[in-house]
């Protein structure tokens, strides 16, 4: 016990605290409590504040001139037309959906596969190297990914597939996938590592192969964490702006093939907000799009929450 | 491990035979020239001071030691006459016939029902059993470990929510549908209270008619109560092996005597 430096150092402090006059302590404790409470509430406060800011900017258009049916069902996005501005975001919505889904179709198997490999198969040096590399991948700024998409992946796609433009749905999805993979890998690996070794041993001792252990034991046991990994990946894909802006070709149309250029909601806001007249219709519509994005992320998170809770319910296995 | 040509010899006399078994964890030698023969349909207890290699020896018999990368083994282990280190031996088949119960109950975090069927699902093709047959397998296995009455209304409940005693019984029950020939137990009672210990002991005693059981225990009373043969290990070697009463009453070695009379930890 005497070798425990933490304890010996702490004890006098505690005594000193206890020796503070009652009146003074009566002030300190509520103060600290309040500080902590404010920290907690401020998170909610910030989200609410951002939401209201966006709502305020969007409101005149949202509750006024904007024809919501046209807004959601038309593919006609002509916010700067001299004659008649049209605000149809269907193509943008579909673009976002396509890019995100395709990105996930690439990133989820890749990410989970890598997580399984790192957690279950790699050892020692290989494992460390892989983990560091993947962390490095997560640290690459969005704009650099856009650059890679534009300068490297684009020309490569043209060369290989003969597509007329290299920046398109496929390019954007690949880049988004690569950006989501690090999150999926690191969260997924944590989830797998958290599964007690006793479970692996139990299954192995009954004659399971390593593969069977992964599929029949680890995946069910880590499903919440793995789901969280995937959802965080999706969040990253939907929310990403700069890279998709540079990688997708920026054409407002519903893609007919993998190699058609598309445009996403985020990229639209990022590229047009700077030019829109502040307080004008175009400006406000961009904020309405912001609300749509808000709603989408909210729904994803909500579904995630329900799924995770439902799947992880204690009563049924 | 089904019957092969060389299984006929000496099958009835010994279930497990090792010869000059050595095992190293890296540079550290945990088993030294272990030569032992274990008889069928009885309980052999494995005793000895902590760290003497009991767990290690037990974990050789289903080759589960090999999941650690730094393990080296030399020598021979024959189970039903066949060397389990032969290249032709399937690990999966070996572990199907040599079941293991661990020190900490480790049911899988799935339902009780699925726990019991876990092994069956590993080893049999998907449609081997009908729903009714599966239900029957589960019931039989749970009855065999006297768990059926406790859990028959909650088969879909997560197994990790059971009490430790129930969990350990379940860990035993899930081996039975695979029809193992040998059951290895590593201090199966060490996480249980007195009542749990008594129940598990009763259970193991009933199972001995059908299976070859090897049980590691640090509880000498337990070894005396339930085992017919007893092996005393010390510093990685087998010091003494014989009928339990002989080992306890007339030990041939000084170390054994010191240990069974409680003069080692
Ligand atoms: N995975 C391992 N790596 C290195 N050394 C180990 C490992 N497992 C056990 N040992 C060592 O081997 C010796 C025997 O251990 P063990 O078989 O667990 O003993 P027992 O079960 O009799 O207490 C001990 O000295 C222990 O420290
Ligand atoms: Mg042990």
């Amino acid at each position: 016990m005497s070798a425990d430096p933490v304890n010996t150092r702490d004890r006098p402090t505690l005594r000193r605290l206890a020796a503070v006059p009652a009146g003074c302590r009566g002030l300190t404790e509520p103060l600290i409590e309040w500080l902590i409470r404010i920290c907690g509430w401020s998170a909610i406060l910030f989200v609410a504040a951002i939401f209201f800011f966006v709502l305020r900017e969007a409101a005149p258009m949202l509750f006024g001139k904007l024809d919501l049916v046209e807004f959601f069902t038309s593919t006609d996005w002509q916010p700067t037309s001299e004659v008649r501005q049209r605000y149809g975001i269907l193509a943008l919505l579909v673009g976002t959906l396509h890019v995100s889904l395709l990105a996930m179709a690439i990133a989820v198997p890749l990410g989970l596969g890598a997580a399984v490999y790192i957690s279950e198969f790699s050892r020692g040096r290989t494992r460390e190297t892989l983990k560091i590399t993947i962390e490095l991948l997560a640290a690459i700024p969005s704009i650099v990914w856009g650059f890679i998409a534009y300068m490297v992946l684009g020309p490569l796609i043209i060369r290989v597939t003969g597509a007329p433009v290299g920046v398109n749905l496929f390019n954007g999805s690949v880049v988004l996938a690569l950006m989501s993979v690090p999150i999926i890998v690191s969260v997924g690996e944590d989830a797998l590592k958290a599964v007690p070794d006793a479970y692996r041993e139990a299954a192995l001792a009954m004659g399971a192969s390593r593969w069977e252990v992964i599929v029949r034991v680890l995946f069910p046991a880590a499903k919440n964490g793995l789901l969280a990994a995937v959802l965080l990946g999706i969040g990253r894909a939907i929310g990403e702006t700069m890279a998709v802006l540079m990688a997708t070709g920026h054409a407002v149309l519903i893609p007919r093939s993998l190699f058609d250029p598309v445009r996403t909601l985020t990229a639209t806001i990022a590229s047009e907000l700077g030019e829109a007249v502040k307080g004008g219709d175009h400006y406000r519509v961009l904020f309405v799009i912001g609300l749509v994005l808000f709603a989408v992320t909210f729904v994803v998170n909500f579904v995630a929450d329900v799924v995770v809770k439902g799947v992880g319910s204690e009563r049924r296995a | 491990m089904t019957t092969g040509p060389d299984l006929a010899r000496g099958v009835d006399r010994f279930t497990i035979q090792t010869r000059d078994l050595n095992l190293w964890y890296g540079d550290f030698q945990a088993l030294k020239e272990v030569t032992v023969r274990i008889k069928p349909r009885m309980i052999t207890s494995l005793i000895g001071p902590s760290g003497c290699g009991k767990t290690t020896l037990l974990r050789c018999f289903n080759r589960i030691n090999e999941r650690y990368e730094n393990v080296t083994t030399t020598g021979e282990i024959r189970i039903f006459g066949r060397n389990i280190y032969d290249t032709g031996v399937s690990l999966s088949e070996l572990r199907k016939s040599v079941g293991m119960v661990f020190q900490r109950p480790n049911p899988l975090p799935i339902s009780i029902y699925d726990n019991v069927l876990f092994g069956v699902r590993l080893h049999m093709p998907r449609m081997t059993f009908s729903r009714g047959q599966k239900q029957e397998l589960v019931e039989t296995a749970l009855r065999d470990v006297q768990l059926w009455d406790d859990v028959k209304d909650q088969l879909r409940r997560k197994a990790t929510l059971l009490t430790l005693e129930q969990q350990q019984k379940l860990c035993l029950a899930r081996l039975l549908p695979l029809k193992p020939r040998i059951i290895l137990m590593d201090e199966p009672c060490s996480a249980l209270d007195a009542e749990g210990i008594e129940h598990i002991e009763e259970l193991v005693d009933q199972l001995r008619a059908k299976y070859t059981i090897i049980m590691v225990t640090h509880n000498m009373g337990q070894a005396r109560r339930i085992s017919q043969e007893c092996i005393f290990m010390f510093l990685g070697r087998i010091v003494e092996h014989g009928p339990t009463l002989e080992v306890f009453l007339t030990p041939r070695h000084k170390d054994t005597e010191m240990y069974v009379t409680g003069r080692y930890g």
Side-chain angles (χ1 to χ4, degrees):
Chain A
M1 261 295 115
S2 61
D4 189 346
V6 178
N7 263 352
T8 44
R9 216 183 305 133
D10 269 355
R11 237 174 264 127
T13 325
L14 282 175
R15 213 177 300 125
R16 219 181 308 129
L17 259 185
V20 174
C24 189
R25 202 169 358 135
L27 258 177
T28 323
E29 271 183 28
L31 201 73
I32 291 172
E33 224 178 284
W34 267 106
L35 266 174
I36 292 169
R37 195 168 297 161
I38 287 169
C39 290
W41 282 98
S42 65
I44 298 174
L45 204 75
F46 286 140
V47 174
I50 291 170
F51 179 76
F52 280 113
F53 169 71
V54 176
L55 185 64
R56 197 191 64 192
E57 297 299 301
M61 211 42 195
L62 182 60
F63 303 114
K65 270 195 282 179
L66 192 63
D67 177 357
L68 281 179
V69 176
E70 189 198 331
F71 183 66
F72 282 113
T73 57
S74 161
T75 58
D76 207 1
W77 177 257
Q78 296 196 13
T80 52
S81 163
E82 299 278 316
V83 193
R84 180 177 173 274
Q85 297 86 21
R86 268 152 297 183
Y87 305 109
I89 61 161
L90 185 62
L92 307 177
L93 266 175
V94 173
T96 297
L97 199 74
H98 273 78
V99 173
S100 306
L101 285 182
L102 189 56
M104 281 302 109
I106 302 170
V108 169
L110 208 64
L112 292 187
V116 167
Y117 179 76
I118 293 178
S119 140
E120 303 303 314
F121 292 93
S122 69
R123 309 201 133 132
R125 259 197 127 90
T126 326
R127 170 178 295 190
E128 289 317 306
T129 315
L130 277 172
K131 286 177 75 163
I132 290 170
T133 312
I134 281 169
E135 270 160 36
L136 216 66
L137 214 59
I140 296 177
S142 168
I143 193 78
V144 173
W145 282 112
F147 204 68
I148 293 169
Y150 198 82
M151 303 299 289
V152 183
L153 205 52
L156 196 70
I157 290 172
I158 294 177
R159 179 123 45 88
V160 174
T161 67
V165 279
V167 281
N168 50 32
L169 169 60
F170 182 71
N171 191 331
S173 304
V174 169
V175 167
L176 273 190
L178 290 177
M179 294 176 73
S180 316
V181 159
I183 302 183
I184 299 181
V185 175
S186 58
V187 177
E189 195 230 346
D190 282 346
L192 291 172
K193 246 194 349 226
V195 176
D197 198 46
Y199 295 163
R200 294 183 184 83
E201 205 148 71
L204 285 172
M206 276 187 278
S209 64
R210 272 163 109 181
W211 182 239
E212 285 166 328
V213 170
I214 290 164
V215 174
R216 289 168 191 253
V217 179
L218 295 185
F219 282 172
K223 63 196 161 194
N224 288 3
L226 295 178
L227 207 62
V230 169
L231 290 166
L232 283 171
I234 292 178
R236 173 97 215 230
I238 292 178
E240 172 49 37
T241 307
M242 281 328 288
V244 278
L245 184 69
M246 294 175 75
T248 52
H250 220 54
V252 186
L253 49 87
I254 292 188
R256 306 254 166 257
S257 93
L258 267 181
F259 301 105
D260 277 351
V262 291
R263 200 203 282 192
T264 63
L265 293 167
T266 48
T268 304
I269 298 179
S271 63
E272 292 180 8
L273 193 60
E275 291 153 25
V277 182
K278 186 164 191 284
D281 287 354
H282 183 198
Y283 172 87
R284 298 205 183 284
V285 169
L286 291 178
F287 275 91
V288 177
I289 294 181
L291 283 181
V292 172
L293 274 172
F294 229 116
V296 171
T297 20
F298 182 77
V299 168
V300 169
N301 276 331
F302 184 73
V303 169
D305 220 44
V306 169
V307 170
V308 167
K309 284 211 181 89
V311 170
S313 90
E314 285 290 276
R315 287 199 10 260
R316 295 194 145 249
Chain B
M1 301 291 294
T2 45
T3 44
D6 57 349
L7 295 194
R9 279 184 279 121
V11 175
D12 287 325
R13 298 246 312 125
F14 302 109
T15 312
I16 303 178
Q17 303 186 54
T18 74
R19 214 175 59 208
D20 295 331
L21 184 65
N22 292 291
L23 184 143
W24 291 263
Y25 293 112
D27 298 335
F28 174 74
Q29 186 167 8
L31 294 180
K32 295 171 186 165
E33 287 147 37
V34 171
T35 299
V36 71
R37 296 160 153 190
I38 288 162
K39 291 186 190 147
R41 283 184 208 83
M42 64 168 68
I43 301 170
T44 303
S45 59
L46 196 48
I47 61 171
S50 164
C52 69
K54 307 181 291 293
T55 299
T56 304
L57 178 60
L58 200 71
R59 288 166 65 93
C60 284
F61 298 146
N62 63 353
R63 288 180 58 182
I64 194 103
N65 267 332
E66 286 166 34
R67 56 186 303 248
Y68 304 127
E69 58 194 308
N70 64 345
V71 169
T72 333
T73 318
T74 64
E76 188 180 272
I77 302 174
R78 291 189 172 272
I79 293 186
F80 300 117
R82 179 146 186 215
N83 188 353
I84 62 171
Y85 288 108
D86 276 352
T87 43
V89 169
S90 142
L91 264 191
S92 164
E93 286 300 308
L94 170 70
R95 289 171 185 170
K96 184 179 162 200
S97 58
V98 183
M100 183 169 236
V101 176
F102 295 81
Q103 195 164 355
R104 284 288 311 172
N106 58 355
L108 295 169
I110 49 181
S111 70
I112 296 171
Y113 184 86
D114 289 333
N115 260 284
V116 179
L117 290 179
F118 188 87
V120 171
R121 287 181 173 144
L122 285 177
H123 291 278
M124 320 273 174
R126 222 174 157 65
M127 303 305 248
T128 313
F129 297 108
S130 70
R131 218 158 211 279
Q133 285 171 312
K134 281 193 228 160
Q135 189 74 34
E136 212 176 291
L137 277 177
V138 171
E139 179 170 345
T140 314
L142 291 174
R143 275 193 194 287
D144 283 352
V145 299
Q146 293 154 11
L147 195 56
W148 176 251
D149 291 327
D150 288 359
V151 302
K152 62 170 181 264
D153 299 322
Q154 38 177 330
L155 293 177
R156 296 286 161 190
R157 221 164 87 102
K158 213 169 171 171
T160 40
L161 299 175
L162 296 171
T163 66
L164 283 176
E165 181 191 332
Q166 289 172 329
Q167 288 187 20
Q168 199 61 303
K169 285 178 174 173
L170 180 63
C171 289
L172 194 51
R174 71 183 173 188
L175 303 177
L176 305 183
L178 292 176
K179 306 201 178 359
R181 311 276 295 277
I182 300 169
I183 297 178
L184 309 172
M185 301 183 160
D186 190 359
E187 304 195 25
C189 299
S190 65
L192 309 183
D193 57 15
E195 203 182 334
I197 294 176
E198 199 185 318
H199 293 157
I200 298 281
E201 283 182 12
E202 265 171 41
L203 194 61
V204 175
D205 194 52
Q206 283 170 18
L207 292 175
R208 81 165 202 256
K210 285 207 267 179
Y211 308 93
T212 303
I213 296 175
I214 307 172
M215 183 194 268
V216 173
T217 175
H218 60 255
N219 178 334
M220 276 174 285
Q222 183 170 62
R224 274 182 82 155
R225 283 193 297 276
I226 66 166
S227 70
Q228 288 71 53
E229 290 219 334
C230 183
I231 298 170
F232 171 68
M233 285 185 75
F234 190 56
L235 299 175
R237 290 177 199 278
I238 290 194
V239 175
E240 194 148 344
H241 179 189
T244 302
L245 280 185
E246 276 178 34
V247 172
F248 276 89
L249 299 180
T250 53
R252 273 171 287 148
H253 295 266
K254 187 125 189 63
D255 289 326
T256 318
E257 187 184 343
M258 301 246 301
Y259 183 73
V260 298
T261 52
R263 269 174 282 168
Y264 286 145

